Amino acid sequence: MKGQRYWMTNDKLRRNAIIFLILLGLISLLSDFTHEGARSIYGPFLGLIGATALIISFTSGLGEFIGQALRIVTGVIADKTRKYWAMMFIGYAVNLLVIPFLMFVDASIWVVAIILILLERVGKGIRAPAKSALTSFTAPHLGAGKSFAIQEALDQFGAFLGPIFVFVVLNLNKGGELQGYQMAFGLLGIFAIMTLVVLLVAKQKYPHPEEFETRSTHQSLKGNKSFVLYMFAITLIALGFIDYPVLAYHIGSSTQIDVIYIPLLYALAMGIDAISALLFGHLFDKKGIISLIIAIAISALIAPVFFLVNGSIGIVLGVMLWGIGMGAQESILKAVVSKLVSKEKRATAYGVFYTVFGSAWFLGSLVIGWLYGVSMLYLVLFASAMEILAVVLLLLYKKKAIFVS
């Protein structure tokens, strides 16, 4: 052997990369069961304890902004220290363990709920660049699209089961009453602990997962024109994409669907998300950036269908389109980064990516929250226009052969 990096044959390296990816997926499954189960009821829960639509949208956007802006720092730390597992454990602990504390919040201290929800996003900001980098190290053995798609599919399977679990808990505790929400948050803490246990097992079995990627032929961040242009497109995508708590608030306010079914609709979206991730991840490995263009075009339909089509049909179809858009974006957006940046700077690149995305998401959420109270038509025009502009920009970049396939 010439060094530690070549301690396995190619077949064994690939087999271990797949097992490692499945372990990461199991961690994601359990963690998403926890925080997506909670996220499915943030909107109606906050409304129940006194928050307005603007406060809910502001909290959602600010949480994404803080959690994503933090990643430009945590990404650099992960690359410089190579302490990927430490970043993961700290991040998951903060991300998940705050959720059970929501069971103690009522209308008299509703601001505490806002703080806890923001802390949950902070935890995700700590661990996300390291997790994305670890996933990307398996790409040479499966393809970038499939690696992130498998990760996303398992991730969203947990995000599918979590809201169903919450739905059952709410039904067993007098529907939409506050006690039911508090009980759901408390029980989700069990799955938070399970996530941390599996994380420790994975770290023990694969302490140096960066060794799965044995060569690096991609560019660094400095002077990387493709990466910079990609960030412009990411900004437009994030500006126009509506977060689920806003959709959930609208469902609860419209009275067209009983509030008790909101987490069930979220579960439906997450199930579609998982299937969409696998399909679009496979398409990315075959067709490259065109797969992202298709996904964003679908996202442009979410707002007009959800807000303008009358009745429960429009809401259900809008949620389904939202699930397709989420799954495609979650699998492809990060896969593109792995194609553009070398592994030595990839956590940093993911930090920049998440920061740009989160900042745009925050600004977009503020605008969407404000437009919700002004005009539903203006909200739809804004959200759809941003996605359409992103499609146009990506088409221009593809025509100039800036992006790799």
Side-chain angles (χ1 to χ4, degrees), residues 7 212 277 281 342 385:
W7 54 283
F212 288 126
S342 62

Side-chain angles (χ1 to χ4, degrees), residues 245-262:
V246 178
L247 301 182
Y249 180 86
H250 178 74
I251 296 169
S253 301
S254 68
T255 69
Q256 297 181 66
I257 294 179
D258 195 303
V259 67
I260 196 68
Y261 294 108
I262 290 176

Side-chain angles (χ1 to χ4, degrees), residues 65-79 125-126 128-130 132-133 221 227 231 334 337 341 345-359:
F65 172 70
I66 293 173
Q68 308 251 13
L70 183 62
R71 301 177 197 201
I72 198 168
V73 177
T74 57
V76 171
I77 293 172
D79 273 337
I126 294 172
S132 294
L221 280 176
F227 184 77
M231 290 302 100
K334 291 177 283 190
V337 175
V341 183
K345 291 294 182 181
R346 203 167 292 153
T348 301
Y350 280 118
V352 173
F353 161 82
Y354 285 126
T355 298
V356 171
F357 190 87
S359 299

Side-chain angles (χ1 to χ4, degrees), residues 227-345:
F227 184 77
V228 173
L229 293 174
Y230 183 52
M231 290 302 100
F232 280 108
I234 289 300
T235 299
L236 292 170
I237 293 168
L239 280 171
F241 203 83
I242 302 170
D243 205 5
Y244 189 79
V246 178
L247 301 182
Y249 180 86
H250 178 74
I251 296 169
S253 301
S254 68
T255 69
Q256 297 181 66
I257 294 179
D258 195 303
V259 67
I260 196 68
Y261 294 108
I262 290 176
L264 205 58
L265 283 171
Y266 191 68
L268 171 65
M270 293 299 97
I272 292 173
D273 182 327
I275 297 170
S276 174
L278 290 172
L279 292 175
F280 278 93
H282 177 75
L283 184 61
F284 176 77
D285 288 335
K286 296 289 185 181
K287 301 295 183 181
I289 202 69
I290 192 66
S291 59
L292 179 58
I293 293 172
I294 295 171
I296 304 309
I298 291 173
S299 297
L301 300 174
I302 296 170
V305 171
F306 184 86
F307 290 107
L308 299 184
V309 175
N310 291 327
S312 58
I313 295 298
I315 289 176
V316 173
L317 287 177
V319 168
M320 292 174 70
L321 287 170
W322 187 84
I324 293 172
M326 279 293 292
Q329 290 180 36
E330 285 290 332
S331 60
I332 300 171
L333 292 182
K334 291 177 283 190
V336 173
V337 175
S338 72
K339 292 278 191 177
L340 298 176
V341 183
S342 62
K343 75 171 186 177
E344 291 79 12
K345 291 294 182 181

Side-chain angles (χ1 to χ4, degrees), residues 91-106:
Y92 273 113
V94 175
N95 178 214
L96 301 178
L97 295 182
V98 298
I99 289 172
F101 286 100
L102 285 167
M103 72 181 297
F104 302 110
V105 177
D106 57 27

